[in-house]
Amino acid sequence: MDVKWTVLLVLVCGVAATVEGAAGRHRHRHPTTSFGGAVRNAAEKDPEFWVRDAQDAIEKREARQSRQRRRADHGFAKNVVMFLGDGMSVPTLAAARTLLGQRQGATGEEAQLSFEGFPTVGLVKTYCLDGQVADSACTATAYLAGVKNNDGTIGVSGHVPRYDCPASTDAATHVESIADWALADGRDAGVVTTTRVTHASPAGAYAKVANRYWENDSELALDGYSVAQCPDIAQQLVHQHPGNKFKVILGGGRRHFIANGTFDEEGTAGRRIDGRNLIEEWQKDKSNRNVTYKYVWHRSQLMEAAEDMPEYLLGLFEGSHMQYHMQGDPLSEPTLAELTEVAIKSLSRNEKGFFLFVEGGRIDHAHHDNWVEHALDETIELSKAVTRALELLPEEDTLIVVTADHGHVMAFNGYSERGSDILGPAGYPDEHGVPYMTLSYTNGPGARAQVDGVRVDPTTDDDYRELEWRAHADVPLISETHGGDDVPVFALGPHHDLFTGLFEQSRIPHLMAYAACIGPGHHVCNAATLPSRRYSPSSSPRRVSAHP
């Protein structure tokens, strides 16, 4: 070898060894403390433990595949339940499962959220037509209506710019959601969320609007429009198809349904300037249609309604978003699992089946505030809701899909020892000896100003580890941003294997529709007779209006 290359190789190797050695010295000089005294499973040291773990997983997959083969061509999905963790990035999942395990007294890393055991996992790309990093409106249009569009717009094609009310009134720009497709097939539909029911994610199931923030008419007025030109999202839910056909609507957001100058049951002021009470109008609409209905705002009322289920159920449990699970009153505010159970029991009465959208929406809100414990706890609550659905619905005729709309910029970092407190500092400090958190953010309100180029120690904060303590962030921002990374999708039930690989987010509703035999285009019920059919708007039996 040439002498100069030999010298260069030695230098490179020496530098690499120095860097690794420094990192190693840091790891040993600053050991971490195990969480809650959790004891590691001694059997993990034996290679046979990991071999058996792999073989057990193979046997479970074989058993599931065998059951599927015994079904005629896997059948089709009578029911489709889509769970969305808003902002549930891959690092969020890893951290949440670790927290779950540590709360159970284990080291935590080996734990599993309910849906992480599903047989099929894929990745989806989340960008908007005009945005590299997506918001919750364009993504909702993608995963519920199967069309990518512009940031901040819901239920309309990419021909509608944000805030362009006139453009959004053109019916040719309107796109149908999978809830539309289910209703057209005679099935029922509903939405459940921990956010306002008019928020971007649930609105993707029913609204057609040029700005996600037009949740009531006063917001329209701020942008120079009226409901006569562009109906606000709350009005669309109550009076327009498909929202007015939803059998169950559960979440928060009463303030967008009542008039300014009036107050809801818990003292929240209304925001409508048209003087209307859309909750009363929802009830009147159902009365005029001669169907049974009930409006509830308290957990006890929801439980009573579940005992004698009306045909239509509207539950609004907060003036704005529902409380974080760790701060809500369990006597007055239902959990996401409870909301999911009531919704499934209501919709299951339709023998043809149903589509249900369930959102754990406050994962996203907690990340925006750098409230990491809230974000992880809300993820665990979503996992509990999925567990409840699995208990209530048969796998052979129910497709369950769990995914996220976009990522966040929380990083799971450092070299902490196994079982270290997931909410604590990383295994060794920075180059100035200052601790940093295992779960840190690249930006957000948790940023601390450096002093003479040295970071502030976040563990010395007066409110350190309180629920609303902000984890460390690098770039100071009023609100932490979304991330542009791909997000996972998990699937269980008929044709779950469709959801493997890396694909566009807008394919999700089409895949669900394929498995459920609803909506336009190719699906399993016509696969035998139309093996090569490809969907186009002109060949669809029902107009999707994806383009003007």
Side-chain angles (χ1 to χ4, degrees):
M1 180 182 292
D2 190 287
V3 173
K4 67 179 181 180
W5 291 112
T6 303
V7 172
L8 179 60
L9 179 61
V10 170
L11 288 173
V12 170
C13 292
V15 170
T18 300
V19 172
E20 174 59 26
R25 288 195 299 275
H26 277 307
R27 287 199 293 272
H28 289 93
R29 190 164 63 237
H30 303 282
T32 55
T33 303
S34 295
F35 180 82
V39 178
R40 300 183 189 182
N41 184 355
E44 291 180 353
K45 296 181 179 180
D46 188 343
E48 180 60 27
F49 174 88
W50 301 106
V51 174
R52 187 66 260 165
D53 173 76
Q55 294 302 312
D56 286 345
I58 291 172
E59 290 172 8
K60 289 178 182 178
R61 282 183 176 268
E62 282 185 334
R64 175 173 278 116
Q65 290 171 350
S66 177
R67 290 195 302 270
Q68 290 176 340
R69 283 192 291 269
R70 289 195 295 270
R71 302 172 193 142
D73 296 326
H74 304 300
F76 71 96
K78 184 178 80 170
N79 312 312
V80 177
V81 184
M82 181 179 186
F83 287 90
L84 183 89
D86 196 313
M88 190 174 67
S89 61
V90 172
T92 301
L93 289 173
R97 84 171 73 102
T98 304
L99 178 61
L100 173 64
Q102 292 182 348
R103 285 179 173 180
Q104 297 169 343
T107 51
E109 297 85 356
E110 69 289 340
Q112 188 176 66
L113 300 170
S114 61
F115 47 86
E116 291 181 321
F118 283 12
T120 294
V121 183
L123 289 171
V124 295
K125 297 183 283 185
T126 61
Y127 63 91
C128 317
L129 282 188
D130 61 346
Q132 193 172 64
V133 177
D135 84 315
S136 293
C138 72
T139 51
T141 307
Y143 63 71
L144 286 170
V147 173
K148 290 217 172 199
N149 66 349
N150 295 318
D151 178 273
T153 64
I154 302 172
V156 292
S157 75
H159 292 278
V160 177
R162 188 169 186 175
Y163 305 110
D164 193 335
C165 167
S168 70
T169 62
D170 183 354
T173 67
H174 295 176
V175 295
E176 292 180 338
S177 74
I178 189 172
D180 279 291
W181 303 340
L183 291 169
D185 192 58
R187 306 187 205 191
D188 282 332
V191 294
V192 169
T193 180
T194 53
T195 70
R196 299 187 293 268
V197 297
T198 51
H199 212 234
S201 300
Y206 62 87
K208 289 86 170 70
V209 65
N211 180 16
R212 58 177 290 184
Y213 295 123
W214 292 344
E215 295 180 64
N216 63 64
D217 64 325
S218 66
E219 298 296 331
L220 269 164
L222 290 175
D223 288 324
Y225 299 115
S226 70
V227 292
Q229 297 168 288
C230 294
D232 59 83
I233 296 174
Q235 182 175 320
Q236 290 188 42
L237 177 59
V238 171
H239 288 295
Q240 294 186 6
H241 181 85
N244 63 354
K245 305 299 191 308
F246 288 177
K247 289 294 179 66
V248 58
I249 303 167
L250 302 174
R254 290 188 298 254
R255 71 188 191 189
H256 295 307
F257 292 80
I258 61 176
N260 183 21
T262 66
F263 299 88
D264 68 14
E265 295 85 353
E266 295 179 306
T268 302
R271 295 199 172 185
R272 302 195 65 83
I273 59 175
D274 55 11
R276 297 166 66 178
N277 185 317
L278 292 181
I279 297 172
E280 293 178 354
E281 291 182 22
W282 179 88
Q283 294 172 306
K284 184 177 180 180
D285 172 70
K286 304 303 176 280
S287 177
N288 291 341
R289 289 160 53 186
N290 198 30
V291 295
T292 59
Y293 61 91
K294 192 170 186 64
Y295 161 67
V296 299
W297 61 270
H298 192 280
R299 181 181 178 277
S300 62
Q301 297 172 332
L302 178 70
M303 297 300 108
E304 291 173 6
E307 294 298 319
D308 185 19
M309 196 78 72
E311 293 176 73
Y312 288 82
L313 178 63
L314 171 63
L316 301 176
F317 302 96
E318 284 289 340
S320 182
H321 303 302
M322 294 183 67
Q323 298 292 320
Y324 285 112
H325 166 253
M326 297 182 73
Q327 293 177 324
D329 181 355
L331 296 178
S332 63
E333 191 136 327
T335 65
L336 185 59
E338 290 173 332
L339 294 174
T340 301
E341 177 174 349
V342 172
I344 288 174
K345 288 182 176 179
S346 171
L347 297 173
S348 294
R349 294 174 298 179
N350 187 329
E351 294 182 357
K352 294 198 69 175
F354 62 84
F355 170 76
L356 173 64
F357 176 74
V358 180
E359 182 197 21
R362 305 226 63 193
I363 302 168
D364 172 80
H365 298 163
H367 276 320
H368 280 306
D369 277 318
N370 295 157
W371 290 341
V372 66
E373 187 170 5
H374 273 311
L376 303 190
D377 183 73
E378 294 294 313
T379 304
I380 293 171
E381 287 302 297
L382 179 70
S383 176
K384 292 178 183 177
V386 174
T387 296
R388 195 68 192 107
L390 294 171
E391 294 167 347
L392 292 168
L393 294 166
E395 181 181 337
E396 60 267 19
D397 62 6
T398 302
L399 174 64
I400 298 180
V401 176
V402 183
T403 189
D405 49 354
H406 52 71
H408 269 277
V409 297
M410 184 198 79
F412 190 157
N413 67 133
Y415 293 104
S416 298
E417 291 183 356
R418 172 80 179 275
S420 297
D421 182 358
I422 190 64
L423 298 173
Y428 64 93
D430 68 15
E431 293 301 316
H432 297 103
V434 180
Y436 64 92
M437 307 308 294
T438 296
L439 302 177
S440 304
Y441 290 87
T442 64
N443 63 55
R448 280 81 165 167
Q450 294 188 358
V451 179
D452 295 328
V454 178
R455 295 174 44 254
V456 173
D457 182 351
T459 67
T460 62
D461 293 344
D462 290 340
D463 62 344
Y464 177 61
R465 294 296 297 273
E466 292 183 8
L467 274 180
E468 294 187 354
W469 171 78
R470 301 188 195 278
H472 168 75
D474 182 20
V475 178
L477 290 175
I478 294 175
S479 178
E480 175 259 16
T481 71
H482 294 168
D485 41 312
D486 302 331
V487 295
V489 55
F490 304 85
L492 171 73
H495 306 283
H496 61 78
D497 55 320
L498 294 167
F499 293 85
T500 192
L502 171 65
F503 51 93
E504 298 288 356
Q505 191 172 46
S506 51
R507 295 183 191 176
I508 290 177
H510 296 289
L511 296 175
M512 293 190 292
Y514 174 92
C517 296
I518 58 177
H522 190 42
H523 44 67
V524 67
C525 294
N526 61 29
T529 57
L530 296 171
S532 62
R533 180 182 177 187
R534 296 177 63 86
Y535 168 70
S536 67
S538 60
S539 67
S540 170
R542 301 179 63 246
R543 179 170 164 277
V544 184
S545 303
H547 305 284

